[in-house]
Amino acid sequence: MDLFEYQGKQYFARFGIPVSPGGVADTVDEAVAQADRVGYPVVVKAQVQVGGRGKAGGIKLASNADEVRTHAGNILGMDIRGHTVRRLWIERASDIAREYYASFTLDRGARKHLGMVSARGGVDIEQVAAEDPQAIARLHVDPARGLSETDARTLVEEAGLDQPARDGATDILRKLYRCFVEGDADLVEINPLVLTPDGRVHALDAKVSLDNNADFRHAEWEEYRATEVLDERERLARSKGLQYIGLSGTVGIIANGAGLAMSTLDVVNQVGGSAANFLDVGGGADATVMANALEVINTDPNVRSILINIFGGITRGDEVANGIVQALERVRINAPLVIRIDGTNADVGRAILKAHESDRVISQPTMLDAARKAVELANRAEARA
Ligand code: GDP
Ligand code: MN
């Protein structure tokens, strides 16, 4: 789950990372009230989950109420690369001497945390990585050992941060690492981390992505869920308790278990198709779950065929087949279904489906056959559309 900048800054503050005082505003009047409270000059900042807001005109300095009024009016409702601005963050403006970059992410390949620091902050870090990879200092952190003071200082020095920023940046880096680990984040990023002319270091921007798997130990994430930006399909799925991720292809996928869903995605790609979504129905694939899953996929106009891939374990093939049959009676499906059932009671399941097969409901013996069929149907429908 991605946080908005203002939420990321609140998260940072809990771990002692210095941020500027500020407040949120959803209207021009609220923006002026927040600015009056915070004290001028202020920065008016668009709250959208996309980078490069500054370049897009979504971040403006204001030295009085009139300027806040003008900028807030312009920025609210603005479209920044497909994201409409509905909320602003008004914060006390900082004087900037230098802009740096700092982040922690998980490097799955290395099975370690990865810290990155650069003296070239305030610009797109991907661009820095492409043009001047030497400008980014990297350190793999063993999660069992953590990040020592020495580690943090070395990283700051290797990145070549200016002398007066080194103590402050080292301290912030250790707090940022704690925020990453104890805060259960997948990503914490400060860009820019600034040095002020009077020698203070603090976070001027915040990008935080929380690890959904840790949801159960963070009751306080509830408030972030409330503002989470989901597409319509994801919202519907969430309300029905399904694990759903919307993608941009044409084959809708339903599978039991995240691993099988991912393999199905791969096989669809392998045979020349593209997935419209990733939907894991988990352990129970009964009629209600199947009907819900099909209903969610039905709302996606890009779906040209639906591939149901179930490997029966505790879930039995006959239950799944009955679930599909009953779901078909409840939901009018817009795209043809290709079904592969394997595992426990798969033969019974296939026999049940047999009576319901048509050119819109097709059973296939293997995952590969099923993927081929689903892709063929999707491509055919796509060609007609
Ligand atoms: P992004 O463009 O979406 O990454 O938004 P940022 O929050 O990183 O802001 C972009 C740029 O605006 C920063 O790199 C700064 O140069 C500038 N900026 C943001 N806040 C302030 C501030 O308080 N004072 C000044 N002078 N510039 C700021
Ligand atoms: Mn930024």
Side-chain angles (χ1 to χ4, degrees):
M1 173 169 56
D2 296 332
L3 301 189
F4 287 99
E5 175 197 3
Y6 73 92
Q7 295 169 329
K9 283 181 169 167
Q10 288 163 358
Y11 215 60
F12 281 177
R14 285 177 36 195
F15 294 89
I17 298 166
V19 292
S20 305
V24 292
D26 296 340
T27 64
V28 172
D29 286 339
E30 281 173 22
V32 173
Q34 290 289 15
D36 286 345
R37 191 179 60 80
V38 166
Y40 296 92
V42 296
V43 202
V44 180
K45 308 187 79 174
Q47 295 302 288
V48 282
Q49 289 170 346
V50 60
R53 293 166 302 162
K55 271 191 208 139
I59 292 176
K60 294 285 181 191
L61 285 162
S63 48
N64 56 50
D66 279 345
E67 289 180 13
V68 171
R69 203 165 277 289
T70 305
H71 293 317
N74 289 337
I75 297 173
L76 279 169
M78 182 184 272
D79 180 282
I80 301 183
R81 296 213 294 282
H83 298 246
T84 307
V85 182
R86 306 202 183 284
R87 180 163 277 186
L88 303 170
W89 169 249
I90 314 293
E91 78 172 25
R92 171 91 53 78
S94 304
D95 288 330
I96 303 175
R98 297 295 302 261
E99 300 192 44
Y100 309 125
Y101 172 94
S103 70
F104 287 99
T105 51
L106 177 65
D107 183 345
R108 286 178 201 280
R111 300 179 178 216
K112 293 224 162 92
H113 295 150
L114 176 64
M116 291 194 276
V117 177
S118 176
R120 285 190 56 185
V123 292
D124 184 9
I125 196 68
E126 268 90 39
Q127 200 180 323
V128 176
E131 288 171 9
D132 188 7
Q134 301 297 319
I136 304 171
R138 293 158 211 264
L139 179 73
H140 276 109
V141 184
D142 181 343
R145 278 194 51 231
L147 183 83
S148 70
E149 157 105 35
T150 314
D151 293 338
R153 191 165 293 278
T154 305
L155 196 49
V156 162
E157 282 167 6
E158 278 177 6
L161 299 208
D162 305 272
Q163 204 55 252
R166 291 190 178 181
D167 287 350
T170 301
D171 182 52
I172 288 177
L173 218 52
R174 295 197 73 196
K175 289 169 171 161
L176 187 63
Y177 186 71
R178 267 196 56 217
C179 174
F180 176 66
V181 175
E182 291 170 33
D184 283 312
D186 283 328
L187 164 74
V188 289
E189 183 186 77
I190 309 177
N191 189 20
L193 175 72
V194 298
L195 172 66
T196 62
D198 58 357
R200 288 173 304 116
V201 183
H202 73 277
L204 222 56
D205 193 5
K207 190 166 168 189
V208 174
S209 185
L210 300 172
D211 176 358
N212 284 332
N213 294 308
D215 197 56
F216 68 96
R217 52 181 174 221
H218 294 278
E220 82 280 10
W221 288 2
E222 195 50 50
E223 68 167 290
Y224 304 141
R225 289 264 173 249
T227 57
E228 195 176 4
V229 185
L230 297 175
D231 75 18
E232 204 41 55
R233 301 170 294 174
E234 289 172 348
R235 200 173 288 284
L236 183 65
R238 178 79 53 88
S239 75
K240 294 179 182 299
L242 298 170
Q243 288 293 329
Y244 179 93
I245 295 165
L247 303 169
S248 55
T250 57
V251 180
I253 292 172
I254 299 174
N256 65 327
L260 188 60
M262 273 188 265
S263 321
T264 312
L265 223 93
D266 287 344
V267 175
V268 163
N269 281 332
Q270 223 173 66
V271 298
S274 62
N277 71 276
F278 174 104
L279 200 158
D280 169 17
V281 293
D286 63 9
T288 309
V289 171
M290 272 300 163
N292 285 342
L294 287 169
E295 203 183 313
V296 169
I297 288 191
N298 242 356
T299 61
D300 185 341
N302 294 326
V303 169
R304 302 280 183 230
S305 71
I306 299 171
L307 171 53
I308 301 182
N309 189 10
I310 304 288
F311 193 91
I314 296 168
T315 313
R316 301 194 327 255
D318 52 326
E319 280 173 352
V320 174
N322 282 324
I324 294 171
V325 170
Q326 287 169 38
L328 287 174
E329 286 162 8
R330 285 192 221 168
V331 187
R332 223 186 64 82
I333 313 294
N334 301 328
L337 282 188
V338 181
I339 304 153
R340 175 260 186 167
I341 298 179
D342 210 336
T344 314
N345 285 8
D347 42 355
V348 189
R350 285 189 212 122
I352 293 168
L353 286 175
K354 194 98 201 142
H356 298 268
E357 281 191 39
S358 67
D359 57 347
R360 309 261 310 159
V361 180
I362 300 154
S363 183
Q364 290 286 309
T366 71
M367 172 142 107
L368 188 59
D369 292 324
R372 281 207 181 105
K373 190 73 198 172
V375 170
E376 177 198 318
L377 290 170
N379 289 348
R380 204 187 298 160
E382 190 72 2
R384 272 201 309 268

